[in-house]
Structure formats: structure tokens, C-alpha cells
Amino acid sequence: MTTAMTTPYTFVDGYPEFLHVCRELERARRIAVDTEADSMHHYPERVCLVQVATPESTYLLDSLALVDLSPLAKALSARGVLKLLHGADYDIRGLDRDWGLAVANLFDTHVAARFLGRERVGLAALLQELLGIEIPKERRIQRADWSKRPLDDEALRYAAADVCHLFALHDILAERLRKLGRLSWVEEECERLSEVRHTPLDLIATVLSLPESRKMDSRQRAVLLSLYRYREEQARRLDRPPSHVLPPKALAAIAADPSARLEAHESLTPRQAQRFGRGIRSAVGEGLSAPPLERPAPTSPVRGRPTAGQTRKLAALKAWRQAQAKELGIEVGLIWPMRSLERLAREPQTFAEELHSPEVRAWQRERFGASLRLAVGG
């Protein structure tokens, strides 16, 4: 077993050196990218370190010192430069949020591993099982506050290890996908993934999406919204993640029974009740006097309960999907969107339109279209 603890890296916190790194990245055929943020310790969160690598060199960019990382845009958006990331969704959103950076021509090794049917798709597991490389994944370092300076060498080696081995991992994953005829599938998934963007916080949408809010009446939802607004204000004031200020369960319990004493809510600690009690009661009062928060009307027609025939058809389509997944040795969720199958079970005559639903991938249409047609029509 090879260890990654000796991974060489260059820490970059000066702008002239940073611009030199950007030019090097622009000339590369492949670069690896990762980020470290302070979401477990501060609010709002921010990216504190950006790791970039070429096959020859690994750089750790101190984004707190450099501040403006917009010169990375050319390399990250270049179609001629392949970007390797693992679990790219979080990194892409952070880069977009903090600097408006977009990532094009992406290869996500996490996505690739799923399409190979790997049971363990974490980076450490893949490097160990496929390349015999062991990288440090201590929980203490994973939960570190990346906004602190200086960062110790152990943390920096940890950060460097997350990018420097992605090239060898890409080689083996891409070759296996190519042999199975699935490389284009992963490329399409990665293209979709590269289009995600940071979504600004919408407290109304957040409240309405909570399972607890679906059981509430419009007045209780208004109280819950007021409590979430209060928690947001306190989280920003205290520079702490909102869930560390007041737990969601406590807010839902208070909104469901606004007249109860705060001490009666088990999910609210005595210390929280004492520290935030006045603000909580004020937020409850504001919620009770605010306009009721109604759930928006559904954008699609409300469907009645499925008939017995439709239920049998959906069961058959689920069985079809399960059989395809078993044959290919991949997760059943990768085969075909469940919402699409639910629509087809109700309206099999819409098959031609459903093939081109935005949820359906081109590779799914090509690989499973004919087989699904038989299952729908059977």
C-alpha cells in the first residue's frame, strides 16, 4: 500500500505566483480541482482553500489571502482542458457563489464510479481499491476550520492528496467505462452536473419544503417562517451555522404549538431557551400577526388515486428497471427517472413525448428506449 502523506505541494498566497499558476493551468490538457470551505464553523460559509493540480504539480490556493480568484475562469471554463473533480456538486456551487466561476468539460470520478457499479465510491476507498493508494481521511482534519491561518502541514497534505491522485484514478475509470461502452453516459451526466449553480437562500421555499410544514396550517407555517428568519439573523450575527444556533426540530415544534412554554420543547436545550428565549417569543408573535403562509397551488394537474391497472403497470415498470440495473450491475436509480415511470404508468400513450422529457438522458433513451417501449406496451 502506497501512502500519500509525502505528496509535494506549493502553497500559493501571493497574486503574482497565483497568476503564474493560472497560466500553467490554461496550458494543461487535464487539471484536478477541489475546495475546502468553513461551513461547519462559520456562516455564511465561504471557500477557504482551492486545490488545483496538473499531472506534474499540485497547488494550494489560499483564497482568503488572494481574495479574487476570477483569473481561474479561463482554465475552468476552457473546453480544451478536462477538469477532474470528485463529488463536484458542492465545489461547483461554492466556486460559483464566491467568484462566479463555472466549470466546463468536467469528469467527476464519483459519478464514474457509480456507473461502474462500485459499492464504495468515496475518494479514499476508490484510491485504495483501484490504485493501492492510502490517503489521510482523519475525521479531525475533515471537520477542521479551514478559515484558520496558518494551516498546519498535516491539513495541507490532506488537501493536496484530494487532487494529485485524480489523474491516475481518471485513467483507470475512463478505461473501464470505455470497455463497457459507458464513457459517453458519464460524459453526459457530467455535462449536466457542470451546469448546476449556487441558489441563493429562499426562506419561504425552505419552510414550504420541510416535511413538518406539510402537516401545519397556514398560521403555523407563518410562525415557522418567522422563526427561520430570526434564526438566520442570529446565525449571521454570531457567525455560526444556523443548525448550531437553533435546531430545525425545535423551530418546527415551537411553530406547531406556539402557546407552549419554551421549556416544554425537548429539542430546545435550557441554554438555548435562556439565550434566545426573548427573540423566539418575539418571532412567534410576529408570525402570529403576519399573513398566513399558504402553500402555492400545484403547477401540474392534481391526479387522483391510481387505478388498479395503473398500479400494476407501475409495478411492472419498476420490475423492468430493477432487471436492467441487475443486468448492468449499477444502481437502479441510474436506469430511468422514477417520475417518468410514474407518468408512463398512468398515460402509456405519451411514451413518445416521455422519451424526450427533460429528466431523461440521451444515453438512457438510446440504451433503454426500445426495451422500455415493450415494457410500457406489454
Side-chain angles (χ1 to χ4, degrees):
M1 185 69 64
T2 302
T3 181
M5 294 299 288
T6 56
T7 301
Y9 63 83
T10 301
F11 187 76
V12 179
D13 58 0
Y15 225 73
E17 186 178 9
F18 168 56
L19 295 178
H20 175 78
V21 170
C22 290
R23 290 191 291 270
E24 181 178 342
L25 298 176
E26 293 163 15
R27 294 191 297 267
R29 293 179 58 189
R30 297 184 298 173
I31 63 174
V33 182
D34 190 31
T35 65
E36 304 295 346
D38 60 359
S39 61
M40 300 186 69
H41 300 271
H42 300 285
Y43 189 77
E45 72 172 310
R46 55 181 173 172
V47 174
C48 303
L49 192 72
V50 177
Q51 305 99 285
V52 293
T54 67
E56 297 78 28
S57 305
T58 298
Y59 302 100
L60 307 182
L61 309 179
D62 183 357
S63 53
L64 300 186
L66 297 169
V67 182
D68 179 16
L69 294 194
S70 59
L72 277 176
K74 187 173 181 180
L76 292 181
S77 63
R79 284 282 171 183
V81 181
L82 182 65
K83 268 67 69 174
L84 309 179
L85 289 89
H86 186 86
D89 184 280
Y90 183 79
D91 303 301
I92 289 175
R93 293 180 192 275
L95 291 169
D96 173 51
R97 179 196 64 231
D98 291 358
W99 301 287
L101 296 172
V103 178
N105 195 12
L106 165 69
F107 185 96
D108 189 324
T109 50
H110 178 269
V111 173
R114 293 178 64 204
F115 274 87
L116 288 172
R118 304 292 306 183
E119 291 187 7
R120 301 203 303 161
V121 294
L123 180 58
L126 290 173
L127 292 177
Q128 184 179 52
E129 295 171 5
L130 297 179
L131 297 171
I133 296 173
E134 186 172 356
I135 62 174
K137 282 294 176 185
E138 294 183 23
R139 187 172 180 82
R140 175 183 62 83
I141 302 179
Q142 290 176 321
R143 300 173 67 87
D145 183 353
W146 291 94
S147 69
K148 288 188 175 180
R149 294 296 184 271
L151 292 167
D152 62 42
D153 186 57
E154 187 178 11
L156 294 174
R157 288 199 304 266
Y158 165 95
D162 278 351
V163 289
C164 68
H165 301 295
L166 289 181
F167 303 98
L169 184 60
H170 167 251
D171 289 340
I172 193 169
L173 293 176
E175 180 59 25
R176 293 188 181 189
L177 288 166
R178 192 175 291 109
K179 288 181 178 178
L180 291 172
R182 301 177 192 175
L183 182 58
S184 62
W185 302 2
V186 170
E187 289 172 344
E188 182 178 354
E189 293 296 326
C190 289
E191 183 67 24
R192 284 183 172 237
L193 180 56
S194 69
E195 295 172 358
V196 303
R197 294 294 181 268
H198 168 68
T199 303
L201 177 65
D202 183 337
L203 284 178
I204 293 179
T206 298
V207 167
L208 292 176
S209 70
L210 297 172
E212 297 88 346
S213 78
R214 298 190 180 101
K215 304 173 186 177
M216 296 178 176
D217 60 32
S218 58
R219 173 59 57 207
Q220 291 170 322
R221 283 194 293 270
V223 173
L224 185 58
L225 175 61
S226 182
L227 287 168
Y228 263 76
R229 283 174 173 157
Y230 170 71
R231 187 181 72 161
E232 176 72 11
E233 293 170 359
Q234 295 306 305
R236 290 177 178 273
R237 181 180 68 83
L238 298 171
D239 188 25
R240 294 180 61 199
S243 61
H244 293 188
V245 176
L246 290 167
K249 284 186 178 180
L251 301 186
I254 295 168
D257 189 4
S259 61
R261 295 171 58 251
L262 293 183
E263 293 76 12
H265 298 292
E266 295 180 355
S267 50
L268 192 69
T269 68
R271 185 172 183 273
Q272 290 170 332
Q274 181 180 16
R275 184 176 188 183
F276 302 109
R278 180 179 297 179
I280 290 173
R281 286 187 284 269
S282 176
V284 168
E286 290 176 7
L288 290 172
S289 61
L293 180 58
E294 305 288 351
R295 299 193 69 81
T299 55
S300 56
V302 178
R303 301 179 183 274
R305 293 177 61 86
T307 65
Q310 291 170 341
T311 300
R312 288 193 297 272
K313 175 63 69 176
L314 181 58
L317 293 177
K318 287 181 178 179
W320 165 84
R321 191 170 77 148
Q322 188 71 47
Q324 300 298 321
K326 184 176 181 180
E327 178 184 343
L328 295 177
I330 61 177
E331 302 167 31
V332 66
L334 296 176
I335 299 298
W336 199 271
M338 178 54 69
R339 290 178 62 183
S340 175
L341 295 184
E342 291 171 347
R343 291 191 293 265
L344 285 171
R346 288 178 176 270
E347 300 176 312
Q349 72 276 11
T350 64
F351 178 80
E353 293 85 351
E354 194 60 45
L355 276 182
H356 296 278
S357 163
E359 300 165 10
V360 176
R361 279 66 164 150
W363 71 265
Q364 291 173 326
R365 204 161 45 237
E366 180 181 345
R367 176 63 175 80
F368 302 115
S371 175
L372 180 58
R373 183 187 296 274
L374 293 175
V376 170

